[in-house]
Amino acid sequence: MSISAGNHTFGPESGRLLVNTTRTGLGAKAGHDLTIEVTRWRGDATVDTADPAGSSVTVEADADSLEVRQGTGGVKPLTSSDHAEIEKTIREKILHVRKHPTIMFRSTRVEGTAESFRVEGDLTIVGVTQPVAVQCSVSEGRVRGSATIVQTRWGIRPYSALLGALKLSDEVEVQFDVGLVPKQ
């Protein structure tokens, strides 16, 4: 089943938007690789199946809606208070959500086929806009894709602890799996 041409919406009701982090440094064994879900977001897509270059997409996410879903690795499992502390750190020290409440992506170019395509666009995080490329595919009526985000390109210093011995990698992976809902 493919995606139909026209205008569509998508969001948490039709899919998931995840951020995956990995750890590095001498103390990496003490930390966790995290799966973080964006819980409040919405997207709009214009799909031109005859000419993918005529397609476009925008996604707006609430920077205050990131929730830790899973922590793998580490010396001990993450507790609910660990989840709360990580989420607070993300909101206050990494994304500065009071000053920058929204994360925004706007496509500038779409190329490929209706089944496999690349979306280039501008991603704004913490008030800084940088280009990013998203690899996408369509199967079973769903759009799936991912992009690698290098935090320092947006002026974000990757989280570190234990006097820098434990650090999150500069690269995080953003993944999505959504169903497009035709606009009424």
Side-chain angles (χ1 to χ4, degrees), residues 36-56:
I36 301 165
E37 184 168 9
V38 183
T39 60
R40 291 187 307 274
W41 59 282
R42 64 177 301 280
D44 290 293
T46 299
V47 178
D48 185 338
T49 52
D51 178 18
S55 301
S56 65

Side-chain angles (χ1 to χ4, degrees), residues 111-144:
E111 60 186 11
T113 67
E115 295 80 32
S116 178
F117 54 96
R118 174 182 164 106
V119 178
E120 295 175 4
D122 293 325
L123 178 63
T124 303
I125 309 172
V126 297
V128 176
T129 303
Q130 292 288 338
V132 68
V134 184
Q135 288 300 134
C136 306
S137 64
V138 176
S139 78
E140 300 169 7
R142 298 190 66 78
V143 180
R144 295 177 178 95

